[in-house]
Amino acid sequence: MEQNNRQQTIRKETLIKGVGLHTGRKCRALFKPAPENSGIKFIRVDLPGRPVLEATLKNVVDIIRGTTLGINDEVRVYTIEHVLSALNGLQIDNLTIELDDNEPPVADGSAQEFVKALRECGVVEQNAQKNILKIETPLEYTANQTLIRIDPSDTFEIDCEITYDHPMIKQQRFVFRRGDDYPKEIAPARTFCFDYEIEALKKKGLAKGGSLDNAIVIGPDGIYNPEFKLRFDNEFVRHKTLDLMGDLMLLGQPLQGKITAKRCGHGHNIKFIEKLMEQLRGE
Ligand code: ZN
């Protein structure tokens, strides 16, 4: 998939059902084509007035173990990053996602099911040109051991590296460029956590829908999942790339630039995007 110059949406609707990773609630997500220049929007069709949440940075209200959108105090959509990543990977600019609860289905913890459903509908070009955000000035975000920087490039690329003090992960690096096969190389990479984190997550009311069907759970000696097999040797860093591609959709326009990310995660991703927006606004 080369960089597409025209905006894209899908040809027809498609429905995905399942439970949310953190809330554990059943949800139906109906993906619908949307007009040019309308962007990505979530609609809570179960609430009075069907509130619309645009997938943009200004609507991000929480970044603990996932990216959450919200408006006012009560309207929320949790864990949007895997859906948004699929849209980034397929270069879809305009889409409406109708939800009848507060978190899209987690599926298998990757973006594979979304990619499959959207491709089956057909991704179609629209008339308007893409409004590409071309990076002209480098920008660097650092916090503790995390670094995320962006440099000018003639395409969109991510060079992602993770470092964990665990024999199964240690250091992994993965490079993705626009034109690489997102559906094959990134979409299947599943979310992961460590066994010792689960209790704490549940105490915070998170990961209620989490199970060995939708997350890789890592213990001291290996992974707990019954098939005991990773989809890639470096599935973990591929998933971090997947998440970052999802969060970058919150810019509201396709990005042209080279991102280097070390030890990134949702909190840092969002702070990096905030800093980037400030620079672009000239603050
Ligand atoms: Zn994720």
mmCIF file of all heavy atoms in Angstrom, residues 22-23 27 29 41-47 51-55 59-63 66-71 73-81 83-84 97-105 250:
data_model
loop_
_atom_site.group_PDB
_atom_site.id
_atom_site.type_symbol
_atom_site.label_atom_id
_atom_site.label_comp_id
_atom_site.label_asym_id
_atom_site.label_seq_id
_atom_site.Cartn_x
_atom_site.Cartn_y
_atom_site.Cartn_z
ATOM 1 N N HIS A 22 -11.315 -3.372 28.701
ATOM 2 C CA HIS A 22 -11.264 -2.871 30.072
ATOM 3 C C HIS A 22 -12.612 -2.920 30.791
ATOM 4 O O HIS A 22 -12.684 -3.241 31.961
ATOM 5 C CB HIS A 22 -10.675 -1.465 30.115
ATOM 6 C CG HIS A 22 -9.206 -1.468 29.853
ATOM 7 N ND1 HIS A 22 -8.332 -2.254 30.576
ATOM 8 C CD2 HIS A 22 -8.459 -0.839 28.929
ATOM 9 C CE1 HIS A 22 -7.124 -2.084 30.112
ATOM 10 N NE2 HIS A 22 -7.165 -1.231 29.113
ATOM 11 N N THR A 23 -13.693 -2.604 30.058
ATOM 12 C CA THR A 23 -15.005 -2.592 30.720
ATOM 13 C C THR A 23 -15.628 -3.980 30.763
ATOM 14 O O THR A 23 -16.482 -4.251 31.601
ATOM 15 C CB THR A 23 -15.977 -1.651 29.975
ATOM 16 O OG1 THR A 23 -16.122 -2.139 28.630
ATOM 17 C CG2 THR A 23 -15.465 -0.229 29.956
ATOM 18 N N CYS A 27 -20.466 -4.952 23.228
ATOM 19 C CA CYS A 27 -20.655 -3.770 22.395
ATOM 20 C C CYS A 27 -20.766 -4.161 20.933
ATOM 21 O O CYS A 27 -20.103 -5.094 20.480
ATOM 22 C CB CYS A 27 -19.477 -2.806 22.596
ATOM 23 S SG CYS A 27 -19.665 -1.236 21.746
ATOM 24 N N ALA A 29 -20.193 -2.525 17.252
ATOM 25 C CA ALA A 29 -19.554 -1.387 16.575
ATOM 26 C C ALA A 29 -19.923 -1.462 15.100
ATOM 27 O O ALA A 29 -19.554 -2.408 14.412
ATOM 28 C CB ALA A 29 -18.041 -1.444 16.755
ATOM 29 N N LYS A 41 -15.184 9.574 13.439
ATOM 30 C CA LYS A 41 -16.088 9.933 14.534
ATOM 31 C C LYS A 41 -16.682 8.698 15.179
ATOM 32 O O LYS A 41 -17.081 7.759 14.475
ATOM 33 C CB LYS A 41 -17.250 10.779 14.003
ATOM 34 C CG LYS A 41 -16.817 12.143 13.559
ATOM 35 C CD LYS A 41 -17.998 12.936 13.047
ATOM 36 C CE LYS A 41 -17.554 14.343 12.706
ATOM 37 N NZ LYS A 41 -18.172 14.831 11.492
ATOM 38 N N PHE A 42 -16.724 8.709 16.512
ATOM 39 C CA PHE A 42 -17.452 7.679 17.249
ATOM 40 C C PHE A 42 -18.796 8.278 17.658
ATOM 41 O O PHE A 42 -18.854 9.444 18.075
ATOM 42 C CB PHE A 42 -16.686 7.266 18.508
ATOM 43 C CG PHE A 42 -15.389 6.545 18.211
ATOM 44 C CD1 PHE A 42 -14.204 7.247 18.038
ATOM 45 C CD2 PHE A 42 -15.367 5.158 18.102
ATOM 46 C CE1 PHE A 42 -13.015 6.589 17.766
ATOM 47 C CE2 PHE A 42 -14.183 4.487 17.835
ATOM 48 C CZ PHE A 42 -12.999 5.210 17.670
ATOM 49 N N ILE A 43 -19.859 7.504 17.557
ATOM 50 C CA ILE A 43 -21.175 7.971 17.994
ATOM 51 C C ILE A 43 -21.725 6.982 19.017
ATOM 52 O O ILE A 43 -21.768 5.773 18.756
ATOM 53 C CB ILE A 43 -22.163 8.104 16.811
ATOM 54 C CG1 ILE A 43 -21.581 9.038 15.748
ATOM 55 C CG2 ILE A 43 -23.516 8.628 17.306
ATOM 56 C CD1 ILE A 43 -22.484 9.269 14.557
ATOM 57 N N ARG A 44 -22.095 7.484 20.195
ATOM 58 C CA ARG A 44 -22.710 6.627 21.220
ATOM 59 C C ARG A 44 -24.211 6.576 20.962
ATOM 60 O O ARG A 44 -24.971 7.395 21.478
ATOM 61 C CB ARG A 44 -22.413 7.211 22.612
ATOM 62 C CG ARG A 44 -20.988 6.980 23.115
ATOM 63 C CD ARG A 44 -20.729 5.549 23.551
ATOM 64 N NE ARG A 44 -21.677 5.089 24.558
ATOM 65 C CZ ARG A 44 -21.541 5.252 25.880
ATOM 66 N NH1 ARG A 44 -20.465 5.824 26.362
ATOM 67 N NH2 ARG A 44 -22.458 4.806 26.712
ATOM 68 N N VAL A 45 -24.638 5.601 20.157
ATOM 69 C CA VAL A 45 -26.046 5.547 19.752
ATOM 70 C C VAL A 45 -26.952 5.073 20.885
ATOM 71 O O VAL A 45 -28.170 5.149 20.782
ATOM 72 C CB VAL A 45 -26.253 4.651 18.499
ATOM 73 C CG1 VAL A 45 -25.523 5.231 17.292
ATOM 74 C CG2 VAL A 45 -25.793 3.218 18.753
ATOM 75 N N ASP A 46 -26.354 4.589 21.985
ATOM 76 C CA ASP A 46 -27.158 4.133 23.123
ATOM 77 C C ASP A 46 -27.544 5.289 24.052
ATOM 78 O O ASP A 46 -28.353 5.110 24.952
ATOM 79 C CB ASP A 46 -26.360 3.095 23.924
ATOM 80 C CG ASP A 46 -25.003 3.626 24.393
ATOM 81 O OD1 ASP A 46 -24.305 4.290 23.586
ATOM 82 O OD2 ASP A 46 -24.642 3.394 25.554
ATOM 83 N N LEU A 47 -26.954 6.449 23.860
ATOM 84 C CA LEU A 47 -27.215 7.573 24.771
ATOM 85 C C LEU A 47 -28.184 8.582 24.144
ATOM 86 O O LEU A 47 -28.217 8.725 22.922
ATOM 87 C CB LEU A 47 -25.894 8.284 25.121
ATOM 88 C CG LEU A 47 -24.860 7.459 25.885
ATOM 89 C CD1 LEU A 47 -23.612 8.306 26.129
ATOM 90 C CD2 LEU A 47 -25.417 6.943 27.208
ATOM 91 N N PRO A 51 -24.559 11.321 21.262
ATOM 92 C CA PRO A 51 -23.384 12.206 21.240
ATOM 93 C C PRO A 51 -22.268 11.694 20.317
ATOM 94 O O PRO A 51 -22.023 10.503 20.227
ATOM 95 C CB PRO A 51 -22.908 12.205 22.696
ATOM 96 C CG PRO A 51 -23.634 11.113 23.374
ATOM 97 C CD PRO A 51 -24.861 10.819 22.598
ATOM 98 N N VAL A 52 -21.634 12.666 19.652
ATOM 99 C CA VAL A 52 -20.574 12.370 18.683
ATOM 100 C C VAL A 52 -19.234 12.718 19.304
ATOM 101 O O VAL A 52 -19.058 13.805 19.852
ATOM 102 C CB VAL A 52 -20.773 13.215 17.399
ATOM 103 C CG1 VAL A 52 -19.634 12.977 16.423
ATOM 104 C CG2 VAL A 52 -22.128 12.902 16.765
ATOM 105 N N LEU A 53 -18.281 11.790 19.233
ATOM 106 C CA LEU A 53 -16.929 12.065 19.725
ATOM 107 C C LEU A 53 -15.961 11.980 18.559
ATOM 108 O O LEU A 53 -15.718 10.905 18.013
ATOM 109 C CB LEU A 53 -16.530 11.038 20.791
ATOM 110 C CG LEU A 53 -17.346 11.071 22.076
ATOM 111 C CD1 LEU A 53 -18.388 9.975 22.061
ATOM 112 C CD2 LEU A 53 -16.449 10.924 23.273
ATOM 113 N N GLU A 54 -15.435 13.122 18.168
ATOM 114 C CA GLU A 54 -14.448 13.118 17.093
ATOM 115 C C GLU A 54 -13.144 12.541 17.621
ATOM 116 O O GLU A 54 -12.737 12.833 18.743
ATOM 117 C CB GLU A 54 -14.181 14.544 16.620
ATOM 118 C CG GLU A 54 -15.316 15.112 15.813
ATOM 119 C CD GLU A 54 -15.022 16.535 15.372
ATOM 120 O OE1 GLU A 54 -13.831 16.877 15.196
ATOM 121 O OE2 GLU A 54 -15.985 17.296 15.234
ATOM 122 N N ALA A 55 -12.500 11.737 16.789
ATOM 123 C CA ALA A 55 -11.225 11.140 17.203
ATOM 124 C C ALA A 55 -10.114 12.161 17.015
ATOM 125 O O ALA A 55 -9.341 12.107 16.062
ATOM 126 C CB ALA A 55 -10.953 9.879 16.391
ATOM 127 N N ASN A 59 -10.267 15.663 22.424
ATOM 128 C CA ASN A 59 -11.258 14.836 23.116
ATOM 129 C C ASN A 59 -10.650 13.718 23.967
ATOM 130 O O ASN A 59 -11.376 12.910 24.533
ATOM 131 C CB ASN A 59 -12.241 14.226 22.113
ATOM 132 C CG ASN A 59 -13.193 15.275 21.560
ATOM 133 O OD1 ASN A 59 -13.482 16.260 22.230
ATOM 134 N ND2 ASN A 59 -13.647 15.071 20.343
ATOM 135 N N VAL A 60 -9.317 13.670 24.050
ATOM 136 C CA VAL A 60 -8.681 12.627 24.871
ATOM 137 C C VAL A 60 -8.805 13.023 26.338
ATOM 138 O O VAL A 60 -8.395 14.107 26.733
ATOM 139 C CB VAL A 60 -7.196 12.451 24.491
ATOM 140 C CG1 VAL A 60 -6.503 11.485 25.453
ATOM 141 C CG2 VAL A 60 -7.080 11.937 23.063
ATOM 142 N N VAL A 61 -9.395 12.141 27.141
ATOM 143 C CA VAL A 61 -9.579 12.463 28.561
ATOM 144 C C VAL A 61 -8.826 11.527 29.496
ATOM 145 O O VAL A 61 -8.707 11.793 30.683
ATOM 146 C CB VAL A 61 -11.077 12.463 28.967
ATOM 147 C CG1 VAL A 61 -11.803 13.624 28.309
ATOM 148 C CG2 VAL A 61 -11.757 11.139 28.620
ATOM 149 N N ASP A 62 -8.332 10.412 28.970
ATOM 150 C CA ASP A 62 -7.625 9.481 29.844
ATOM 151 C C ASP A 62 -6.644 8.655 29.018
ATOM 152 O O ASP A 62 -6.907 8.342 27.865
ATOM 153 C CB ASP A 62 -8.628 8.547 30.541
ATOM 154 C CG ASP A 62 -8.008 7.851 31.748
ATOM 155 O OD1 ASP A 62 -6.830 8.122 32.062
ATOM 156 O OD2 ASP A 62 -8.697 7.028 32.359
ATOM 157 N N ILE A 63 -5.500 8.315 29.629
ATOM 158 C CA ILE A 63 -4.478 7.586 28.885
ATOM 159 C C ILE A 63 -3.890 6.461 29.707
ATOM 160 O O ILE A 63 -2.761 6.037 29.483
ATOM 161 C CB ILE A 63 -3.345 8.545 28.417
ATOM 162 C CG1 ILE A 63 -2.934 9.473 29.552
ATOM 163 C CG2 ILE A 63 -3.766 9.303 27.191
ATOM 164 C CD1 ILE A 63 -1.829 10.423 29.202
ATOM 165 N N GLY A 66 -4.543 2.645 27.806
ATOM 166 C CA GLY A 66 -5.391 2.756 26.622
ATOM 167 C C GLY A 66 -5.730 4.210 26.437
ATOM 168 O O GLY A 66 -5.459 5.026 27.310
ATOM 169 N N THR A 67 -6.287 4.547 25.272
ATOM 170 C CA THR A 67 -6.625 5.942 25.008
ATOM 171 C C THR A 67 -8.147 6.081 25.048
ATOM 172 O O THR A 67 -8.851 5.349 24.374
ATOM 173 C CB THR A 67 -6.043 6.368 23.647
ATOM 174 O OG1 THR A 67 -4.630 6.137 23.683
ATOM 175 C CG2 THR A 67 -6.291 7.831 23.366
ATOM 176 N N THR A 68 -8.624 7.012 25.883
ATOM 177 C CA THR A 68 -10.060 7.204 26.089
ATOM 178 C C THR A 68 -10.488 8.573 25.593
ATOM 179 O O THR A 68 -9.842 9.578 25.890
ATOM 180 C CB THR A 68 -10.394 7.104 27.594
ATOM 181 O OG1 THR A 68 -10.006 5.819 28.057
ATOM 182 C CG2 THR A 68 -11.879 7.309 27.854
ATOM 183 N N LEU A 69 -11.579 8.597 24.839
ATOM 184 C CA LEU A 69 -12.167 9.857 24.405
ATOM 185 C C LEU A 69 -13.351 10.200 25.288
ATOM 186 O O LEU A 69 -14.031 9.301 25.792
ATOM 187 C CB LEU A 69 -12.686 9.742 22.962
ATOM 188 C CG LEU A 69 -11.687 9.477 21.854
ATOM 189 C CD1 LEU A 69 -12.422 9.381 20.515
ATOM 190 C CD2 LEU A 69 -10.623 10.566 21.785
ATOM 191 N N GLY A 70 -13.604 11.492 25.467
ATOM 192 C CA GLY A 70 -14.758 11.880 26.272
ATOM 193 C C GLY A 70 -15.219 13.285 25.944
ATOM 194 O O GLY A 70 -14.438 14.120 25.484
ATOM 195 N N ILE A 71 -16.496 13.522 26.161
ATOM 196 C CA ILE A 71 -17.017 14.888 26.138
ATOM 197 C C ILE A 71 -17.908 15.051 27.363
ATOM 198 O O ILE A 71 -18.510 14.097 27.817
ATOM 199 C CB ILE A 71 -17.791 15.240 24.838
ATOM 200 C CG1 ILE A 71 -18.726 14.101 24.423
ATOM 201 C CG2 ILE A 71 -16.850 15.615 23.721
ATOM 202 C CD1 ILE A 71 -19.663 14.480 23.298
ATOM 203 N N ASP A 73 -18.867 15.301 31.229
ATOM 204 C CA ASP A 73 -18.330 14.436 32.280
ATOM 205 C C ASP A 73 -18.737 12.992 32.110
ATOM 206 O O ASP A 73 -18.114 12.099 32.654
ATOM 207 C CB ASP A 73 -18.795 14.931 33.661
ATOM 208 C CG ASP A 73 -17.897 16.060 34.131
ATOM 209 O OD1 ASP A 73 -16.757 16.131 33.641
ATOM 210 O OD2 ASP A 73 -18.351 16.869 34.953
ATOM 211 N N GLU A 74 -19.776 12.746 31.345
ATOM 212 C CA GLU A 74 -20.318 11.391 31.348
ATOM 213 C C GLU A 74 -20.116 10.584 30.070
ATOM 214 O O GLU A 74 -20.147 9.365 30.106
ATOM 215 C CB GLU A 74 -21.807 11.400 31.761
ATOM 216 C CG GLU A 74 -22.740 12.080 30.792
ATOM 217 C CD GLU A 74 -22.832 13.578 31.044
ATOM 218 O OE1 GLU A 74 -21.902 14.175 31.607
ATOM 219 O OE2 GLU A 74 -23.848 14.163 30.637
ATOM 220 N N VAL A 75 -19.902 11.233 28.947
ATOM 221 C CA VAL A 75 -19.810 10.473 27.696
ATOM 222 C C VAL A 75 -18.379 10.002 27.462
ATOM 223 O O VAL A 75 -17.458 10.817 27.395
ATOM 224 C CB VAL A 75 -20.278 11.327 26.494
ATOM 225 C CG1 VAL A 75 -20.254 10.493 25.224
ATOM 226 C CG2 VAL A 75 -21.669 11.881 26.750
ATOM 227 N N ARG A 76 -18.204 8.695 27.359
ATOM 228 C CA ARG A 76 -16.867 8.150 27.188
ATOM 229 C C ARG A 76 -16.843 7.093 26.087
ATOM 230 O O ARG A 76 -17.817 6.376 25.894
ATOM 231 C CB ARG A 76 -16.399 7.445 28.475
ATOM 232 C CG ARG A 76 -16.154 8.376 29.657
ATOM 233 C CD ARG A 76 -14.868 9.172 29.462
ATOM 234 N NE ARG A 76 -14.609 10.091 30.554
ATOM 235 C CZ ARG A 76 -15.102 11.337 30.632
ATOM 236 N NH1 ARG A 76 -15.882 11.811 29.669
ATOM 237 N NH2 ARG A 76 -14.809 12.109 31.650
ATOM 238 N N VAL A 77 -15.683 6.988 25.421
ATOM 239 C CA VAL A 77 -15.395 5.814 24.595
ATOM 240 C C VAL A 77 -13.976 5.383 24.952
ATOM 241 O O VAL A 77 -13.023 6.141 24.782
ATOM 242 C CB VAL A 77 -15.511 6.103 23.083
ATOM 243 C CG1 VAL A 77 -15.140 4.862 22.283
ATOM 244 C CG2 VAL A 77 -16.928 6.525 22.706
ATOM 245 N N TYR A 78 -13.862 4.169 25.494
ATOM 246 C CA TYR A 78 -12.578 3.663 25.979
ATOM 247 C C TYR A 78 -11.828 2.875 24.908
ATOM 248 O O TYR A 78 -12.436 2.306 24.011
ATOM 249 C CB TYR A 78 -12.812 2.729 27.176
ATOM 250 C CG TYR A 78 -13.414 3.410 28.366
ATOM 251 C CD1 TYR A 78 -14.793 3.430 28.555
ATOM 252 C CD2 TYR A 78 -12.613 4.060 29.296
ATOM 253 C CE1 TYR A 78 -15.365 4.073 29.645
ATOM 254 C CE2 TYR A 78 -13.175 4.709 30.388
ATOM 255 C CZ TYR A 78 -14.554 4.707 30.560
ATOM 256 O OH TYR A 78 -15.106 5.355 31.627
ATOM 257 N N THR A 79 -10.524 2.838 25.043
ATOM 258 C CA THR A 79 -9.661 1.913 24.276
ATOM 259 C C THR A 79 -9.934 1.973 22.769
ATOM 260 O O THR A 79 -10.334 1.002 22.150
ATOM 261 C CB THR A 79 -9.844 0.456 24.769
ATOM 262 O OG1 THR A 79 -10.164 0.458 26.161
ATOM 263 C CG2 THR A 79 -8.576 -0.353 24.562
ATOM 264 N N ILE A 80 -9.680 3.141 22.193
ATOM 265 C CA ILE A 80 -9.979 3.344 20.778
ATOM 266 C C ILE A 80 -8.787 3.042 19.872
ATOM 267 O O ILE A 80 -8.912 3.029 18.661
ATOM 268 C CB ILE A 80 -10.390 4.810 20.528
ATOM 269 C CG1 ILE A 80 -9.311 5.730 21.119
ATOM 270 C CG2 ILE A 80 -11.747 5.104 21.157
ATOM 271 C CD1 ILE A 80 -9.358 7.116 20.619
ATOM 272 N N GLU A 81 -7.613 2.804 20.492
ATOM 273 C CA GLU A 81 -6.386 2.836 19.692
ATOM 274 C C GLU A 81 -6.253 1.710 18.671
ATOM 275 O O GLU A 81 -5.637 1.894 17.632
ATOM 276 C CB GLU A 81 -5.155 2.895 20.602
ATOM 277 C CG GLU A 81 -4.993 1.710 21.529
ATOM 278 C CD GLU A 81 -5.705 1.888 22.873
ATOM 279 O OE1 GLU A 81 -6.517 2.816 23.005
ATOM 280 O OE2 GLU A 81 -5.438 1.086 23.787
ATOM 281 N N VAL A 83 -8.728 0.219 16.963
ATOM 282 C CA VAL A 83 -9.595 0.586 15.833
ATOM 283 C C VAL A 83 -8.898 1.672 15.006
ATOM 284 O O VAL A 83 -8.788 1.574 13.783
ATOM 285 C CB VAL A 83 -10.962 1.109 16.328
ATOM 286 C CG1 VAL A 83 -11.751 1.716 15.178
ATOM 287 C CG2 VAL A 83 -11.757 -0.009 16.992
ATOM 288 N N LEU A 84 -8.393 2.703 15.696
ATOM 289 C CA LEU A 84 -7.753 3.816 14.976
ATOM 290 C C LEU A 84 -6.499 3.356 14.244
ATOM 291 O O LEU A 84 -6.192 3.840 13.160
ATOM 292 C CB LEU A 84 -7.408 4.958 15.934
ATOM 293 C CG LEU A 84 -8.589 5.704 16.553
ATOM 294 C CD1 LEU A 84 -8.089 6.883 17.387
ATOM 295 C CD2 LEU A 84 -9.565 6.207 15.488
ATOM 296 N N ILE A 97 -18.160 5.491 13.410
ATOM 297 C CA ILE A 97 -18.251 4.228 14.144
ATOM 298 C C ILE A 97 -19.346 4.375 15.196
ATOM 299 O O ILE A 97 -19.191 5.112 16.164
ATOM 300 C CB ILE A 97 -16.902 3.882 14.807
ATOM 301 C CG1 ILE A 97 -15.797 3.868 13.752
ATOM 302 C CG2 ILE A 97 -16.982 2.518 15.517
ATOM 303 C CD1 ILE A 97 -14.462 4.328 14.254
ATOM 304 N N GLU A 98 -20.463 3.696 14.963
ATOM 305 C CA GLU A 98 -21.583 3.768 15.907
ATOM 306 C C GLU A 98 -21.414 2.677 16.949
ATOM 307 O O GLU A 98 -21.303 1.492 16.612
ATOM 308 C CB GLU A 98 -22.908 3.587 15.166
ATOM 309 C CG GLU A 98 -23.197 4.740 14.216
ATOM 310 C CD GLU A 98 -24.589 4.648 13.594
ATOM 311 O OE1 GLU A 98 -25.309 3.653 13.828
ATOM 312 O OE2 GLU A 98 -24.941 5.584 12.860
ATOM 313 N N LEU A 99 -21.414 3.070 18.221
ATOM 314 C CA LEU A 99 -21.242 2.120 19.320
ATOM 315 C C LEU A 99 -22.490 2.111 20.178
ATOM 316 O O LEU A 99 -23.049 3.173 20.462
ATOM 317 C CB LEU A 99 -20.053 2.530 20.206
ATOM 318 C CG LEU A 99 -18.687 2.643 19.542
ATOM 319 C CD1 LEU A 99 -17.674 3.186 20.545
ATOM 320 C CD2 LEU A 99 -18.223 1.300 19.009
ATOM 321 N N ASP A 100 -22.900 0.921 20.637
ATOM 322 C CA ASP A 100 -24.053 0.893 21.542
ATOM 323 C C ASP A 100 -23.610 0.672 22.991
ATOM 324 O O ASP A 100 -24.414 0.332 23.851
ATOM 325 C CB ASP A 100 -25.086 -0.148 21.097
ATOM 326 C CG ASP A 100 -24.599 -1.565 21.258
ATOM 327 O OD1 ASP A 100 -23.423 -1.765 21.625
ATOM 328 O OD2 ASP A 100 -25.405 -2.497 21.030
ATOM 329 N N ASP A 101 -22.309 0.866 23.246
ATOM 330 C CA ASP A 101 -21.808 0.895 24.615
ATOM 331 C C ASP A 101 -20.523 1.714 24.618
ATOM 332 O O ASP A 101 -20.236 2.387 23.628
ATOM 333 C CB ASP A 101 -21.602 -0.525 25.174
ATOM 334 C CG ASP A 101 -21.867 -0.555 26.686
ATOM 335 O OD1 ASP A 101 -21.194 0.201 27.413
ATOM 336 O OD2 ASP A 101 -22.735 -1.314 27.124
ATOM 337 N N ASN A 102 -19.740 1.636 25.715
ATOM 338 C CA ASN A 102 -18.663 2.620 25.849
ATOM 339 C C ASN A 102 -17.266 2.147 25.461
ATOM 340 O O ASN A 102 -16.294 2.842 25.688
ATOM 341 C CB ASN A 102 -18.647 3.179 27.277
ATOM 342 C CG ASN A 102 -18.418 2.092 28.307
ATOM 343 O OD1 ASN A 102 -18.078 0.962 27.952
ATOM 344 N ND2 ASN A 102 -18.604 2.420 29.571
ATOM 345 N N GLU A 103 -17.150 0.971 24.847
ATOM 346 C CA GLU A 103 -15.809 0.513 24.448
ATOM 347 C C GLU A 103 -15.928 -0.427 23.251
ATOM 348 O O GLU A 103 -16.677 -1.405 23.316
ATOM 349 C CB GLU A 103 -15.157 -0.227 25.624
ATOM 350 C CG GLU A 103 -13.708 -0.605 25.374
ATOM 351 C CD GLU A 103 -13.056 -1.288 26.578
ATOM 352 O OE1 GLU A 103 -13.781 -1.866 27.406
ATOM 353 O OE2 GLU A 103 -11.813 -1.259 26.656
ATOM 354 N N PRO A 104 -15.190 -0.158 22.171
ATOM 355 C CA PRO A 104 -15.269 -1.065 21.016
ATOM 356 C C PRO A 104 -14.813 -2.470 21.412
ATOM 357 O O PRO A 104 -14.019 -2.622 22.348
ATOM 358 C CB PRO A 104 -14.284 -0.464 20.001
ATOM 359 C CG PRO A 104 -13.831 0.827 20.542
ATOM 360 C CD PRO A 104 -14.200 0.907 21.984
ATOM 361 N N PRO A 105 -15.290 -3.483 20.715
ATOM 362 C CA PRO A 105 -14.860 -4.857 21.016
ATOM 363 C C PRO A 105 -13.345 -4.997 20.936
ATOM 364 O O PRO A 105 -12.707 -4.404 20.072
ATOM 365 C CB PRO A 105 -15.522 -5.686 19.912
ATOM 366 C CG PRO A 105 -16.645 -4.856 19.403
ATOM 367 C CD PRO A 105 -16.232 -3.428 19.589
ATOM 368 N N LEU A 250 -5.055 10.652 16.111
ATOM 369 C CA LEU A 250 -5.675 11.759 16.845
ATOM 370 C C LEU A 250 -5.190 13.123 16.351
ATOM 371 O O LEU A 250 -5.735 14.155 16.724
ATOM 372 C CB LEU A 250 -5.415 11.608 18.346
ATOM 373 C CG LEU A 250 -6.033 10.330 18.938
ATOM 374 C CD1 LEU A 250 -5.450 10.042 20.306
ATOM 375 C CD2 LEU A 250 -7.544 10.447 19.002
#
